[in-house]
Amino acid sequence: MTVLTPERRAARTPGKPTSLFIPELVYFEPDALSYPKGERIMEWVQELRIPYRMTTSHNRITNLPGEGELEQYKIAKRTLVVGVRKTLEFDQSKPSADYAIPIATGCMGHCHYCYLQTTLGAKPYVRVYVNTNDIMTAAKQYIEERAPEITTFEAACTSDPLGLEHITGSLAELIAFMAEEPLGRLRFVTKFQHVEPLLGIAHNHHTRIRFSVNSDYVIRHFEPATARFEERTRAAGQVARAGYPLGFIIAPIIWHDGWQEGYAELLAKLAEELPPEAGKDLTFEMIQHRFTKTAKAVIEKRYPKTKLEMDIDKRKKKWGRWGQNKYVYPDEQQNALREFITERIFEHFPASRIDYFT
Ligand code: SF4
């Protein structure tokens, strides 16, 4: 199997669109083939002549091709596992939503800072679930339990589901389902641009599509194998014209040489490229860069040449929800970043809302 480096895959030739993800190897859990979605994915795999294998469970995948940990990691990121979601208890997803709705786990992107580096540990392959009806039934129960409150579900907690939509169609199903739920709302975030299959769906304004954006420096240095900035903003324009509520997550906000120019340019470019209707119902979320000691060790191993600054001495220690200290920027830097970017947001989008800075 030929393994291209993430950098080569991500070669962002100007004007050349970021291509759809085609896995190099697919595993099927046998139960998955009893669902129509599992069958459809199998047909797609056979049509494209992608090599595939059967596995009793994703936990038993131990024989991925490739020599050495790094090569196996890269291959795992191009490996798809098609299975059934067994745990239908949803995790909480604060501050972005009430619950995480699980339709996929893992991602083919190679963002150096991605938290999946540690949460997925030794299993970084991309998993999709074929029992979407079970997942929607569980979501309905959560909505009913919280009535008359509105319940919000985040579909991108453990993956970038838009990058997998051409394989699964799961977002389209969730959007259509949520459109009929007076007290249900869906949201997801993406670094990909393939929104076409979602544009014609009757969404009833119950789904907010957010794009993850950043300064040119951060995108160029730390986000290989994702869509280019212009592709994301073009897709955001399409989403706004289709009447979806729209949002941007600026994350991770990174203190780098020229950060003020970088983030000012980001907001100015967004304002330039978006249609005027996009500004009417627009949200921003801001997340400063953070890391744990475990994440730092993993990132340095997987992306040994990364320019990502992870110097503990320059950071402020903060107790993390998962029992590990995380390292954020000292207050002075946090405040400077928050204030500067907030001003730029309201300068260009005075009617927008900032949901949080964390
Ligand atoms: S696109 Fe998102 S989920 Fe995928 S690697 Fe990048 S940060 Fe992680």
Side-chain angles (χ1 to χ4, degrees):
M1 183 180 298
T2 313
V3 183
L4 297 180
T5 63
E7 288 69 24
R8 274 183 63 200
R9 282 188 191 294
R12 291 178 173 130
T13 318
K16 187 168 176 264
T18 303
S19 46
L20 286 167
F21 168 60
I22 307 291
E24 288 174 13
L25 176 62
V26 182
Y27 284 90
F28 285 90
E29 293 175 3
D31 290 356
L33 296 174
S34 1
Y35 291 81
K37 187 176 293 193
E39 279 179 343
R40 274 202 310 275
I41 298 177
M42 174 60 101
E43 280 166 25
W44 177 79
V45 163
Q46 289 175 333
E47 209 175 294
L48 295 190
R49 298 174 184 273
I50 303 169
Y52 68 89
R53 299 172 185 173
M54 301 304 291
T55 176
T56 46
S57 158
H58 79 97
N59 284 320
R60 295 190 191 277
I61 300 174
T62 50
N63 55 345
L64 276 180
E67 281 183 21
E69 216 183 305
L70 207 53
E71 198 181 331
Q72 282 193 344
Y73 168 71
K74 288 173 190 165
I75 291 174
K77 283 258 186 189
R78 308 288 302 172
T79 300
L80 180 72
V81 182
V82 182
V84 175
R85 177 74 186 189
K86 300 208 174 66
T87 315
L88 291 169
E89 250 173 60
F90 296 178
D91 287 332
Q92 289 203 337
S93 175
K94 300 289 181 196
S96 107
D98 296 304
Y99 294 105
I101 188 162
I103 52 171
T105 307
C107 178
M108 53 286 175
H110 272 276
C111 305
H112 296 186
Y113 52 75
C114 179
Y115 65 100
L116 297 178
Q117 311 272 4
T118 40
T119 53
L120 297 184
K123 301 183 192 312
Y125 38 72
V126 183
R127 292 169 64 200
V128 294
Y129 308 115
V130 294
N131 53 333
T132 327
N133 284 341
D134 298 340
I135 294 165
M136 292 189 293
T137 304
K140 204 171 173 62
Q141 279 167 4
Y142 281 104
I143 294 170
E144 283 164 8
E145 274 166 24
R146 282 175 41 93
E149 298 287 314
I150 285 191
T151 302
T152 312
F153 298 89
E154 169 64 74
C157 277
T158 51
S159 179
D160 190 315
L162 186 65
L164 301 165
E165 184 63 8
H166 59 293
I167 302 173
T168 64
S170 298
L171 280 176
E173 286 171 272
L174 289 192
I175 292 168
F177 160 76
M178 220 53 93
E180 301 292 323
E181 291 295 325
L183 298 175
R185 297 291 182 276
L186 181 70
R187 39 175 40 216
F188 65 90
V189 60
T190 186
K191 284 191 174 76
F192 292 91
Q193 86 280 29
H194 305 107
V195 291
E196 286 77 12
L198 310 183
L199 298 178
I201 300 172
H203 53 75
N204 200 16
H205 307 283
H206 284 189
T207 294
R208 184 175 295 277
I209 302 182
R210 293 116 79 224
F211 290 85
S212 169
V213 289
N214 222 310
S215 72
D216 183 54
Y217 174 90
V218 173
I219 294 178
R220 271 190 299 113
H221 287 91
F222 307 124
E223 298 185 352
T226 62
R228 297 194 310 270
F229 174 78
E230 318 81 69
E231 292 177 309
R232 296 181 213 176
T233 45
R234 202 176 311 130
Q238 289 176 287
V239 157
R241 279 188 287 272
Y244 280 96
L246 176 68
F248 291 103
I249 300 195
I250 307 178
I253 297 173
I254 290 184
W255 186 282
H256 57 82
D257 278 350
W259 66 268
Q260 285 165 307
E261 292 78 13
Y263 287 109
E265 190 193 16
L266 163 69
L267 270 307
K269 272 198 197 162
L270 285 182
E272 231 174 72
E273 300 203 20
L274 287 181
E277 63 264 35
K280 290 184 200 144
D281 179 10
L282 187 60
T283 58
F284 285 89
E285 293 150 86
M286 296 193 270
I287 306 174
Q288 62 172 310
H289 179 241
R290 74 270 321 278
F291 60 90
T292 59
K293 280 185 182 167
T294 314
K296 178 177 154 81
V298 174
I299 293 166
E300 283 169 349
K301 200 151 62 161
R302 290 187 176 157
Y303 303 101
K305 293 191 184 141
T306 188
K307 291 185 162 62
L308 196 59
E309 176 275 305
M310 291 179 288
D311 184 346
I312 285 168
D313 294 336
K314 293 186 182 161
R315 298 294 188 115
K316 173 182 158 178
K317 199 196 277 189
K318 197 172 168 188
W319 180 244
R321 223 172 3 135
W322 309 112
Q324 263 217 67
N325 283 318
K326 54 188 172 186
Y327 295 89
V328 296
Y329 290 113
D331 291 344
E332 207 177 305
Q333 279 177 301
Q334 280 188 38
N335 290 339
L337 290 166
R338 188 184 56 236
E339 281 166 20
F340 182 84
I341 299 173
T342 301
E343 280 168 19
R344 300 289 83 70
I345 288 173
F346 289 130
E347 176 188 333
H348 295 289
F349 301 102
S352 68
R353 187 181 84 219
I354 296 179
D355 280 347
Y356 57 87
F357 173 98
T358 180

